[in-house]
Amino acid sequence: MQRGDVTRDEGTWVGLSLDVQDRRRPDLCVLTAGPRLLVSQLSRPVLLAVVEKPLQGVDFWRTDEYRSFVPPLRADVGRALAGSPQRWAHRFARYLIDSPGNPLHEGRWLLSCESSLPRWRHAATSHAEYWSSMLVEGHPDGYIDWFLRSTSF
């Protein structure tokens, strides 16, 4: 695998490019068959789901097989990397390269702090409160409604 910094014409860092070769199927992958989804890691099922018609929600069941390929972050490491998206990207890339169970497959990847995803956090909502609201509840099973977030049974 090759990696390299991506910069704008004026030299501003945009992201880290990863060129992955000879990796046809990732260790962490999503498989689909019609409305059914299977997320597997190292060939073990991690999450099974069925998308409801007319695509308004998902019933899911989680196993306890998922293992993060990113180790827990130590406070001293967080402080050392604070304020440097470039250093975070290189650190994360090392975990992607070295750890089994990661989602990398053949192709070009970009690790960047820039995102085209909308950020709908209201100014009065703290970051912790906002990201906590993004967590999907329900273990081992639950339901995600695209309009009302998540509910557990």
Side-chain angles (χ1 to χ4, degrees), residues 44-62:
R44 291 188 308 262
V46 173
L47 182 129
L48 299 132
V50 176
V51 179
E52 285 186 344
K53 290 183 181 180
L55 305 177
Q56 291 184 351
V58 177
D59 273 311
F60 67 87
W61 183 76
R62 303 181 214 206

Side-chain angles (χ1 to χ4, degrees), residues 35-89:
R36 301 180 195 285
L37 299 169
L38 167 65
V39 178
S40 70
Q41 185 178 42
L42 299 170
S43 299
R44 291 188 308 262
V46 173
L47 182 129
L48 299 132
V50 176
V51 179
E52 285 186 344
K53 290 183 181 180
L55 305 177
Q56 291 184 351
V58 177
D59 273 311
F60 67 87
W61 183 76
R62 303 181 214 206
T63 69
D64 289 325
E65 295 296 316
Y66 176 76
R67 299 295 175 260
S68 178
F69 55 91
V70 178
L73 183 64
R74 295 178 43 90
D76 59 336
V77 173
R79 283 190 291 275
L81 300 174
S84 176
Q86 184 175 2
R87 291 177 64 199
W88 278 107

Side-chain angles (χ1 to χ4, degrees), residues 8-140:
R8 290 193 174 90
D9 290 338
E10 80 277 0
T12 305
W13 186 84
V14 175
L16 179 64
S17 173
L18 304 176
D19 289 314
V20 180
Q21 299 170 0
D22 299 325
R23 188 138 187 212
R24 307 243 347 121
R25 184 174 172 186
D27 292 339
L28 178 64
C29 62
V30 178
L31 305 168
T32 64
R36 301 180 195 285
L37 299 169
L38 167 65
V39 178
S40 70
Q41 185 178 42
L42 299 170
S43 299
R44 291 188 308 262
V46 173
L47 182 129
L48 299 132
V50 176
V51 179
E52 285 186 344
K53 290 183 181 180
L55 305 177
Q56 291 184 351
V58 177
D59 273 311
F60 67 87
W61 183 76
R62 303 181 214 206
T63 69
D64 289 325
E65 295 296 316
Y66 176 76
R67 299 295 175 260
S68 178
F69 55 91
V70 178
L73 183 64
R74 295 178 43 90
D76 59 336
V77 173
R79 283 190 291 275
L81 300 174
S84 176
Q86 184 175 2
R87 291 177 64 199
W88 278 107
H90 280 275
R91 174 69 142 226
F92 189 71
R94 192 170 74 219
Y95 295 137
L96 282 170
I97 294 165
D98 295 342
S99 301
N102 69 64
L104 288 181
H105 58 80
E106 199 168 276
R108 180 171 285 168
W109 295 73
L110 177 65
L111 301 180
S112 175
C113 61
E114 295 180 5
S115 174
S116 59
L117 296 174
R119 290 176 171 79
W120 299 104
R121 185 178 69 86
H122 189 275
T125 305
S126 72
H127 287 285
E129 188 177 359
Y130 172 75
W131 287 110
S132 293
S133 75
M134 295 285 116
L135 296 175
V136 176
E137 296 178 2
H139 186 75

